[in-house]
Amino acid sequence: MVTENLTPRGRFAPSPSGRMHLGNIFTALMSWLSVKSRGGKWVLRIEDLDPQRSKLEHARMIEDDLLWLGLEWDEGGLDDIGTAAPYSQSLRGDIYEEYLKRLETTGFLYPCRCRRADILATQAPHRSDGRVVYAGTCRPVRLGGCTADSAVADGAALRLFVPDMDILFTDRLYGSQRANLAEECGDFIVRRADGAWAYQFAVVVDDALMGITEVVRGNDLLLSTAQQIYLCGLLGFPVPDYAHLPLVCNAQGQRLSKRDSAMGMGELRQRYTPSELLGKLAFMAGLSADGSSVSLPQLLRLFRWPEAKDTLEIC
Ligand code: GLU
């Protein structure tokens, strides 16, 4: 239906590996404001693909913290509200299987037995940014001979070939972006040797099936966006709009982590009321001149994207 296509649909997709911090809640707020200021829908997806790090109690806490601030979701969450259920990635394995079959038909998948140490050993010495580029060690001379099932039976990971070409997209904050995946990351994993689904693959399938039209997240995922756009093309999915946000840093200029308890939601909820915290977040976003208390309805009227800086300092 035409009207449905016009409704903006955003999502917040936290990994329940700990309590949210100021940076996570900033992302949630910007994503919520962006779709809600245009009458859209907001989906909460629990990204619990990593069984070691994901905990149900963290997911419950994330929901509690969002609701405390007034950020209600229209679909998703642990109660699986909506037609695209389940909304927890750990329960979506059958769906990923189905779309892996579609990816298989491209002939671009191949089994990979490299261990992390092997991959690191092939890295060019100048790559000091920590980013790993796969050198193609396991890539067959001729692609197309691999089925996903045979790779699993062999205990191999599944890797996806990437061509030497630029992926272009426009980010709402940072403008025109260009990434050559062959140079930036090389062929990448879609399913690990232990059967776990890779983030890039699961996110693309989920965003498409959940009808997401706008992805809002930290600018540390700009390269992932190029990988995801490539996957969308192979799977025949529409490409959503993207808005990447400056990363929130502490006073020492370091990116916040879930271990920074001073900026965790536990402490913040003790120090501030919801409207006081919204005031701080609005100040960080450039929506308020003085950081004083503000309500969500007020912010809906004021909403615009923050300036495209690399990082935002906590006030
Ligand atoms: N699950 C990711 C995180 O918590 C977010 C991924 C995304 O928004 O695409 O960092």
Side-chain angles (χ1 to χ4, degrees):
M1 243 168 34
V2 177
T3 42
E4 252 189 29
N5 289 341
L6 293 176
T7 306
R9 290 174 60 88
R11 48 59 155 195
F12 181 52
S15 306
S17 56
R19 190 102 187 233
M20 286 195 291
H21 55 59
L22 194 74
N24 304 129
I25 202 79
F26 180 70
T27 302
L29 176 64
M30 289 297 119
S31 157
W32 188 91
L33 286 174
S34 172
V35 286
K36 289 289 160 184
S37 61
R38 288 173 292 140
K41 300 274 186 220
W42 199 55
V43 178
L44 174 62
R45 183 170 71 231
I46 309 294
E47 297 211 324
D48 56 352
L49 281 179
D50 182 342
Q52 261 96 50
R53 296 175 62 229
S54 305
K55 297 226 163 24
L56 182 60
E57 71 243 39
H58 294 315
R60 286 209 183 98
M61 221 47 221
I62 288 170
E63 291 199 338
D64 193 65
D65 287 336
L66 291 172
L67 294 175
W68 176 83
L69 205 62
L71 303 181
E72 284 181 31
W73 49 98
D74 302 285
E75 285 176 33
L78 292 169
D79 289 338
D80 276 338
I81 305 158
T83 51
Y87 290 86
S88 294
Q89 290 186 322
S90 60
L91 304 175
R92 296 177 61 80
D94 293 352
I95 300 170
Y96 303 142
E97 281 294 347
E98 192 186 321
Y99 284 91
L100 188 66
K101 293 269 175 283
R102 199 188 277 190
L103 208 52
E104 205 179 82
T105 63
T106 63
F108 282 0
L109 291 176
Y110 63 88
C112 173
R113 285 176 195 78
C114 291
R115 289 162 308 158
R116 192 167 165 80
D118 304 327
I119 296 170
L120 290 177
T122 63
Q123 295 304 292
H126 64 270
R127 276 218 93 93
S128 55
D129 58 4
R131 196 179 281 170
V132 174
V133 182
Y134 185 64
T137 316
C138 284
R139 186 195 300 154
V141 181
R142 206 174 307 142
L143 286 161
C146 163
T147 65
D149 291 343
S150 64
V152 178
D154 265 13
L158 273 178
R159 221 175 249 283
L160 178 69
F161 163 77
V162 300
D164 181 8
M165 72 179 206
D166 286 346
I167 305 271
L168 306 174
F169 66 98
T170 305
D171 181 78
R172 288 261 170 88
L173 275 80
Y174 297 94
S176 300
Q177 302 292 310
R178 171 191 297 264
N180 181 310
L181 293 180
E183 284 166 16
E184 300 284 340
C185 63
D187 301 347
F188 60 90
I189 298 273
V190 293
R191 194 173 57 191
R192 292 191 335 213
D194 63 4
W197 298 99
Y199 156 75
Q200 308 294 1
F201 179 66
V203 162
V204 165
V205 171
D206 292 346
D207 282 340
L209 298 189
M210 294 174 190
I212 301 303
T213 62
E214 176 182 277
V215 170
V216 178
R217 57 189 176 195
N219 66 19
D220 54 329
L221 289 170
L222 272 165
L223 176 60
S224 289
T225 296
Q227 292 171 268
Q228 291 170 20
I229 290 172
Y230 173 57
L231 273 168
C232 282
L234 295 180
L235 290 166
F237 291 151
V239 176
D241 291 335
Y242 292 96
H244 290 83
L245 300 170
L247 293 184
V248 180
C249 287
N250 63 22
Q252 290 75 49
Q254 297 149 338
R255 185 183 160 181
L256 292 185
S257 89
K258 287 186 175 150
R259 287 180 298 275
D260 268 312
S261 61
M263 288 302 143
M265 284 304 284
E267 288 256 341
L268 295 170
R269 281 175 65 166
Q270 282 180 5
R271 258 190 286 158
Y272 304 113
T273 63
S275 49
E276 283 169 350
L277 186 59
L278 284 176
K280 302 269 167 216
L281 293 165
F283 183 76
M284 282 166 50
L287 301 178
S288 135
D290 58 5
S292 57
S293 294
V294 68
S295 68
L296 281 175
Q298 283 171 308
L299 284 181
L300 282 172
R301 288 193 293 277
L302 294 171
F303 176 73
R304 57 187 155 73
W305 294 109
E307 241 182 85
K309 303 182 202 160
D310 280 347
T311 57
L312 278 181
E313 237 187 79
I314 291 166
C315 49

